Amino acid sequence: MSIPPAASPHEHIIHLSWAYLYSAALNAVAELGVADRLEGGPKSAATLAEELGVQAQPLYRALRLLATVGVFIEDEGERFALTPAADVLRTNVPGSMRDGVLMVSHETFWRPAGKLATTVRTGETQFAHIFGAPFFEHFARDPSIGPIFHRGMASFSDSENAAIAGSYDFSRFQRVVDVGGGHGGFLIEVLNAAPSARGVLFDAAHVLRDARIAAAGLAERCELVTGDFFKEVPGGDCIILKRILHDWADQAAIDVLRVCRRALTEGGRVIVVDTVIPPGNEPHAGKLLDVLMMVSMPGRERTEEEFRRMLAAADLRLERVIETPAMLSLIEASAA
């Protein structure tokens, strides 16, 4: 979604200033399940409101705003229909982004973002001050919030996993360990691309309860292991860290890499899958994600040189950075 072009610098700043309203509208229609109701064709806001048990006028106004940026479209009869962007808000469509929207637009992200000036002044996220505990502790202790995060991460990953897995030759490995691998979406793609490899999905017990490995027909080739990646991870010749290091400050990330280095078998590789921030002023999704990490977590997105230094501190050597069709890159590292 993009902000409408502005005619002047003043309008440009205004549009940027109220861009959060697009996120608010997206969150509302995703939570209500509006896109699911339009699968059969256009409907008026009044019809949608009756079906959803909400108020027609506020719903109309939220949909009208989203229609200006290509999410839904309004016809001359004031009926709304799906667009390609709105279609991915449907719950059961392949590649659905509904859970991803509900995660990113959840208050656990936007409330700390509202305190960005304080974060800039102090260098510290205000998350714990707002919610009473650091990010992951807050999600772990509240059973109503944790699933929002894990389903949201799976939603983001599902749209990128195949493209990322296809950008690297995983067939050379015998035992692939996906550290903090969530529900297993990426590991499934890796194992499908490397049919002779065996896998280990490593994460917390409450996360692995929703693992998809068995449903993908890979139960005999992949084991589920619970644990803490700050202490120990299973050994293998390929250890994957996808969207893990960016959650943590440098020293904590180095600690995780050191644990992985100890578990790496001879000749193996650590594969970090994260955004790599390019130089210059061009837009890059990693620059947005970096600020998201800054306001809610202790983490950050990194440049290639920052990855190189961090890997070296963990007795690893950066071999190469491989761009993928997704926003993420593959950072391949070997034992130094």
Side-chain angles (χ1 to χ4, degrees):
M1 185 180 69
S2 61
I3 298 170
S8 71
H10 298 81
E11 289 180 319
H12 180 55
I13 292 299
I14 290 171
H15 284 314
L16 288 173
S17 297
W18 59 32
Y20 64 91
L21 295 171
Y22 297 104
S23 297
L26 272 175
N27 177 275
V29 300
E31 181 180 322
L32 293 170
V34 172
D36 291 331
R37 299 285 179 167
L38 294 175
E39 185 177 1
K43 292 179 180 178
S44 68
T47 299
L48 288 167
E50 184 177 356
E51 293 178 0
L52 296 167
V54 300
Q55 298 299 308
Q57 188 193 66
L59 178 60
Y60 172 80
R61 291 157 70 180
L63 291 172
R64 180 175 60 185
L65 173 64
L66 290 174
T68 67
V69 287
V71 184
F72 305 104
I73 186 170
E74 182 183 6
D75 65 20
E76 293 180 356
E78 296 187 348
R79 298 184 307 165
F80 291 93
L82 295 172
T83 60
D87 193 61
V88 300
L89 292 176
R90 290 196 289 133
T91 304
N92 296 319
V93 67
S96 171
M97 290 299 296
R98 179 173 182 259
D99 287 330
V101 168
L102 290 174
M103 178 188 72
V104 173
S105 58
H106 192 264
E107 66 171 1
T108 46
F109 287 109
W110 61 255
R111 285 183 65 188
K115 298 295 184 180
L116 179 56
T118 303
T119 295
V120 171
R121 290 189 187 100
T122 65
E124 297 179 355
T125 172
Q126 298 303 293
F127 191 96
H129 295 290
I130 296 170
F131 296 106
F135 186 89
F136 287 107
E137 182 180 331
H138 177 63
F139 273 74
R141 73 180 184 178
D142 189 335
S144 70
I145 297 177
I148 294 173
F149 177 77
H150 295 297
R151 287 196 301 263
M153 288 305 303
S155 174
F156 272 103
S157 296
D158 286 346
S159 64
E160 66 191 13
N161 283 335
I164 295 171
S167 299
Y168 185 83
D169 182 12
F170 287 96
S171 65
R172 59 184 285 194
F173 302 115
Q174 296 180 346
R175 182 175 164 89
V176 179
V177 182
D178 193 351
V179 175
H183 297 164
F186 185 62
L187 186 56
I188 289 168
E189 296 293 345
V190 169
L191 293 177
N192 285 337
S196 63
R198 300 189 65 82
V200 179
L201 182 62
F202 181 79
D203 214 315
H206 71 275
V207 178
L208 294 183
R209 281 197 293 267
D210 294 319
R212 306 177 188 173
I213 298 298
L218 294 168
E220 294 185 0
R221 289 179 55 203
C222 184
E223 58 184 306
L224 309 185
V225 179
T226 63
D228 180 351
F229 54 56
F230 284 107
K231 298 177 180 178
E232 186 178 18
V233 302
D237 58 344
C238 178
I239 298 179
I240 296 170
L241 291 161
K242 181 174 184 281
R243 293 190 187 271
I244 300 298
L245 298 186
H246 79 152
D247 289 340
W248 304 98
D250 286 353
Q251 187 55 57
I254 290 169
D255 291 342
V256 173
L257 286 168
R258 285 174 175 162
V259 171
C260 293
R261 170 66 182 87
R262 292 196 297 269
L264 190 64
T265 59
E266 186 175 356
R269 294 289 187 269
V270 172
I271 307 296
V272 176
V273 187
D274 262 327
T275 63
V276 177
I277 302 292
N281 299 316
E282 293 302 311
H284 189 276
K287 297 175 183 179
L288 274 172
L289 193 56
D290 181 53
V291 175
L292 187 68
M293 296 297 103
M294 178 169 60
V295 298
S296 286
M297 302 181 188
R300 59 180 300 187
E301 306 304 317
R302 297 175 171 93
T303 65
E304 180 175 341
E305 184 55 33
E306 287 168 336
F307 274 114
R308 190 185 309 278
R309 291 197 299 265
M310 199 163 62
L311 289 164
D315 197 26
L316 291 163
R317 179 176 58 247
L318 192 153
E319 295 287 347
R320 55 179 173 154
V321 174
I322 304 167
E323 293 186 0
T324 77
M327 74 168 70
L328 305 182
S329 295
L330 291 152
I331 300 104
E332 180 187 45
S334 63

